Amino acid sequence: MAAVHTLQAFFLFALVALLIPLSEASHNVFADLQSLDAIETTQVDDKLRTGFHFQPPKHWINDPNGVMQYKGAYHLFYQYNPKSAVWGNIVWAHAVSKDLVNWEILEPAIYPTASFDENGCWSGSATILPDGKPVIMYTGIDADGRQVQNVAYPKDLSDPYLREWVKPEYNPVIAPDAGVNATAFRDPTTAWRGPDGVWRLVIGTKDNHRGIAALYRSRDFVHWAPARRALHSGDTGMWECPDFYPVTDGNGNTRHVLKVSLDLTRYEYYTFGEYDHGSDTYAPDATLPDGDGGLRYDYGDFYASKTFLDTGKNRRVLWGWANESDSVADDVRKGWAGVQAIPRKLWLAPDGSQLMQWPVAEIESLRVGGSHVNVTDRMVHGNGGRGVNYFEVTGLATPAQADVEATFQVMDLDKAEVFDDAAWRGADAQTVCAARGADDKGGVGPFGLWVLASDELKERTAVFFRVFKRDDGKKHVVLMCNDPSRSSYGKGLYKPTFAGFVDVDIAANGKIPLRTLIDHSVVESFGGHGKTAILSRVYPTKAIGDKARLFVFNNGESDVKVTNLNAYDMGSAKIRTETETGSDYPAQSDTKTSQRNRKIDI
Ligand SMILES: *[C@@H]1O[C@H](CO)[C@@H](O)[C@H](O)[C@H]1NC(C)=O
Ligand SMILES: *[C@@H]1O[C@H](CO)[C@@H](O)[C@H](O)[C@H]1NC(C)=O
Ligand SMILES: *[C@H]1O[C@@H](CO)[C@H](O)[C@@H](O)[C@@H]1NC(C)=O
């Protein structure tokens, strides 16, 4: 409140300061912190479609499905409404790529055809069988509205695109038993095979408020039986889109990761720990919070994710869906909704404390050669308790479609404010950042980037850090935040502050790295070399296309040095549609084909 008051006093001053042309030095400008005057109608501009995030030309998408690599091609299936930009009529759309960047969209691979999926083909996963052939298991909504699990096999393994998929007549392979809630039983994981030769997989379900990763076993991928005990469960409501896979720590030990998407919070949480193949038990490490306050892949808009093992490159790759933050009416008007996050390489931190993520290296192939901006050792002075200092990063042709890598160095950590333990003990980072946003002056930070900023700087999305110290002054708390509260003049937008803690020893050298992928309506950021990720959707009305600008700001008392900043214009991914799809597909469940495939494949 007090801060707002002071700023109002400086309002006139701010107007004057904004008229001064930008020059080399960082500015001390009393940025106008009045709220944006919302414009009357939100008309989300079609120029806000993404350039290098995966999006089909139109309509609704959600969960990534069946992600895999097969004979050198990457496959991305995804939940898709072939008729409109709202959820419904769900099929498995299908895209293939050689590089995870450029895609060819094929005909949908799986769509309702039989009693076991006539009301929808929902999420699922691919498994590569020991002979190298892939199989998909997905959730079908059957004639009775039950959620059942079905398998599908490629019709022609010599087609490198695996365009056609066949559903054997013996589907469903897993139906909800008595005692299982048939309308909360979905999203089978990739299967894994134990030393005993038995396949296992996990299905998300719930019992009242208890979320469950239900375990099923099979010898032949046809007959499946529930294990006596679930792999894991928790008091956090329905568990959607579970994922379970091994990672290796710095000492070559195998740990297992369990991720679940919580339908109640619409966020994802993970733990990792010990999995015992003999007893089929999973015990998360005792130090990891196991619930809805635990570790997250992404502290922003990122849901229903799924990983696959990219054997060719010996890496695990993570896909996740980001929904829109505009209104349903906007989605209908613009004709599209939903994007996939940039696929991320995922691994366990060498110290074993958390997972790390980084955009797959292939995405750097879109960096436009020759138009790279490089800033070194540039100081952004502390604000001395007054206005915010900033400088513009100039030289990019397309700051609305860019890849920015920066390292910030805090010059005076002693200026860090004391972390308010009384108010914030046990609070998540989002609560702290919502209370102390980008425009709230601090000791060390807020400092970071203003992206998708308009000429008068009124529209801007802040991606920033803020450092606090504990009472004893010994340990610091580092927060990474995404504050979209001023991202748009548009009305009716969902604009929560997203935030995560960054587990870095800031006292070591004061440095903290940030990478932000800016893509028109997506701001996807990685702090601490991949320790904390935040994806946010924003819809500027002025900072669009070549009108968007990029700044570095510091609204704290401590000076901050940009030791280096490299910004790249990004080219657009080629996302081609093989044929325009109508809403009628050929019959898929052909008895003869199914039976033939059944003999060949199983
Ligand atoms: C089953 O799940 C549905 C969907 O969440 C819920 O509405 C219903 O109450 C559940 N039924 C039982 C018996 O728990
Ligand atoms: C940026 O500029 C500095 C100093 O001029 C140079 O040392 C560094 O290699 C450059 N970085 C890149 C990525 O070009
Ligand atoms: C994305 O949209 C916002 C705004 O409508 C909702 O609040 C989120 O819950 C939703 N996220 C997911 C994962 O569905």
Side-chain angles (χ1 to χ4, degrees):
M1 276 289 126
V4 172
H5 201 78
T6 316
L7 280 150
Q8 276 167 347
F10 283 119
F11 180 51
L12 238 187
F13 204 92
L15 282 181
V16 174
L18 281 166
L19 294 175
I20 301 168
L22 299 173
S23 72
E24 269 293 290
S26 68
H27 292 260
N28 192 333
V29 168
F30 303 92
D32 165 23
L33 303 191
Q34 309 291 300
S35 58
L36 289 170
D37 309 317
I39 56 172
E40 274 313 306
T41 53
T42 4
Q43 180 96 44
V44 172
D45 200 301
D46 210 46
K47 292 197 206 78
L48 295 177
R49 270 183 69 82
T50 58
F52 58 95
H53 282 75
F54 180 87
Q55 261 194 290
K58 58 184 180 185
H59 299 329
W60 165 275
I61 71 169
N62 55 298
D63 313 4
N65 290 152
V67 292
M68 64 174 179
Q69 189 261 103
Y70 176 74
K71 290 194 176 162
Y74 294 103
H75 291 255
L76 168 65
F77 303 87
Y78 49 96
Q79 297 279 284
Y80 179 61
N81 181 349
K83 295 180 180 167
S84 104
V86 297
W87 186 86
N89 313 306
I90 292 296
V91 303
W92 276 46
H94 186 193
V96 291
S97 170
K98 293 266 179 223
D99 58 8
L100 292 169
V101 174
N102 302 296
W103 294 88
E104 185 149 4
I105 298 177
L106 311 174
E107 293 284 342
I110 298 175
Y111 40 87
T113 54
S115 61
F116 53 74
D117 67 4
E118 68 177 58
N119 288 308
C121 297
W122 291 9
S123 291
S125 306
T127 300
I128 307 289
L129 299 172
D131 61 4
K133 291 174 196 160
V135 50
I136 280 169
M137 192 183 292
Y138 68 99
T139 299
I141 311 302
D142 76 4
D144 300 324
R146 296 184 314 160
Q147 300 179 1
V148 300
Q149 321 310 320
N150 305 317
V151 290
Y153 288 88
K155 185 171 182 180
D156 176 8
L157 284 166
S158 67
D159 170 15
Y161 283 4
L162 302 176
R163 286 179 175 79
E164 288 183 70
W165 291 74
V166 175
K167 304 170 198 167
E169 276 196 328
Y170 57 74
N171 276 315
V173 291
I174 304 177
D177 287 330
V180 173
N181 186 331
T183 56
F185 184 58
R186 55 184 178 264
D187 311 334
T189 61
T190 294
W192 67 95
R193 212 155 63 133
D196 54 6
V198 174
W199 288 104
R200 284 119 167 124
L201 57 73
V202 159
I203 298 170
T205 182
K206 68 167 180 180
D207 181 5
N208 290 311
H209 197 262
R210 191 151 201 88
I212 299 170
L215 184 70
Y216 282 74
R217 293 202 193 92
S218 173
R219 289 207 170 269
D220 56 8
F221 233 93
V222 179
H223 304 93
W224 291 85
R228 221 168 301 138
R229 282 195 315 182
L231 185 72
H232 202 49
S233 68
D235 191 24
T236 44
M238 175 67 189
W239 282 10
E240 298 191 294
C241 301
D243 198 6
F244 187 63
Y245 53 88
V247 288
T248 308
D249 73 9
N251 301 319
N253 302 315
T254 299
R255 319 302 321 279
H256 275 78
V257 177
L258 176 65
K259 183 276 302 185
V260 294
S261 307
L262 299 191
D263 197 19
L264 289 181
T265 65
R266 307 298 284 172
Y267 294 128
E268 303 194 306
Y269 299 86
Y270 71 84
T271 54
F272 49 83
E274 286 305 307
Y275 167 63
D276 183 274
H277 279 278
S279 57
D280 268 332
T281 49
Y282 167 69
D285 282 2
T287 52
L288 300 175
D290 185 12
D292 56 12
L295 293 171
R296 287 166 54 181
Y297 287 156
D298 192 296
Y299 291 84
D301 186 353
F302 188 91
Y303 195 71
S305 72
K306 189 174 297 299
T307 63
F308 71 99
L309 186 63
D310 183 3
T311 43
K313 298 214 159 164
N314 193 26
R315 62 182 173 182
R316 186 159 286 274
V317 176
L318 169 70
W319 279 102
W321 160 60
N323 69 349
E324 302 295 318
S325 294
D326 59 5
S327 66
V328 173
D330 277 323
D331 291 345
V332 170
R333 187 166 43 224
K334 70 195 204 281
W336 47 269
V339 304
Q340 302 296 340
I342 296 300
R344 304 171 180 180
K345 180 181 162 182
L346 180 147
W347 70 100
L348 187 62
D351 71 358
S353 62
Q354 65 165 103
L355 292 173
M356 308 283 291
Q357 298 162 71
W358 200 245
V360 293
E362 288 91 328
I363 204 73
E364 291 164 31
S365 68
L366 291 176
R367 290 175 173 180
V368 177
S371 65
H372 153 219
V373 175
N374 180 352
V375 177
T376 11
D377 290 339
R378 174 117 178 220
M379 197 69 86
V380 202
H381 291 290
N383 60 22
R386 299 191 302 161
V388 53
N389 285 322
Y390 67 85
F391 69 87
E392 180 167 17
V393 178
T394 54
L396 286 179
T398 58
Q401 193 173 314
D403 182 355
V404 185
E405 286 192 89
T407 300
F408 302 95
Q409 186 172 21
V410 173
M411 303 312 286
D412 189 357
L413 264 182
D414 290 341
K415 293 234 159 47
E417 299 153 272
V418 172
F419 191 80
D420 188 347
D421 255 326
W424 295 333
R425 183 185 301 281
D428 60 9
Q430 195 164 325
T431 305
V432 179
C433 273
R436 308 294 306 273
D439 299 321
D440 180 88
K441 291 181 213 324
V444 173
F447 62 83
L449 304 175
W450 284 332
V451 305
L452 298 171
S454 62
D455 286 339
E456 15 62 285
L457 265 172
K458 278 194 170 183
E459 276 188 340
R460 55 182 201 249
T461 297
V463 183
F464 65 96
F465 297 104
R466 190 159 200 141
V467 182
F468 294 93
K469 63 186 168 204
R470 292 283 182 194
D471 268 338
D472 59 9
K474 286 208 187 83
K475 189 141 170 33
H476 293 91
V477 180
V478 180
L479 285 150
M480 172 174 159
C481 315
N482 183 101
D483 180 353
S485 56
R486 308 172 62 78
S487 59
S488 176
Y489 284 99
K491 280 207 302 196
L493 301 167
Y494 172 64
K495 295 199 277 192
T497 293
F498 289 130
F501 294 108
V502 196
D503 183 16
V504 287
D505 179 13
I506 189 86
N509 57 14
K511 287 188 180 174
I512 182 144
L514 173 68
R515 178 169 181 195
T516 296
L517 298 167
I518 305 161
D519 196 3
H520 303 274
S521 59
V522 176
V523 180
E524 187 171 0
S525 304
F526 300 83
H529 283 308
K531 288 192 162 168
T532 305
I534 302 177
L535 191 154
S536 161
R537 301 299 309 276
V538 294
Y539 307 89
T541 62
K542 298 192 168 199
I544 292 179
D546 56 10
K547 299 277 194 310
R549 294 165 71 173
L550 172 67
F551 296 83
V552 172
F553 78 97
N554 179 10
N555 199 11
E557 281 180 47
S558 167
D559 291 353
V560 170
K561 190 200 275 180
V562 179
T563 57
N564 70 287
L565 182 150
N566 291 291
Y568 306 83
D569 285 312
M570 289 291 272
S572 294
K574 289 184 199 68
I575 300 178
R576 233 174 57 89
T577 301
E578 194 174 53
T579 49
E580 199 45 46
T581 310
S583 49
D584 294 323
Y585 309 115
Q588 190 162 42
S589 187
D590 173 86
T591 307
K592 277 185 202 144
T593 325
S594 321
Q595 303 216 327
R596 193 169 68 235
N597 272 277
R598 183 175 176 172
K599 282 199 202 90
I600 294 167
D601 288 328
I602 295 155

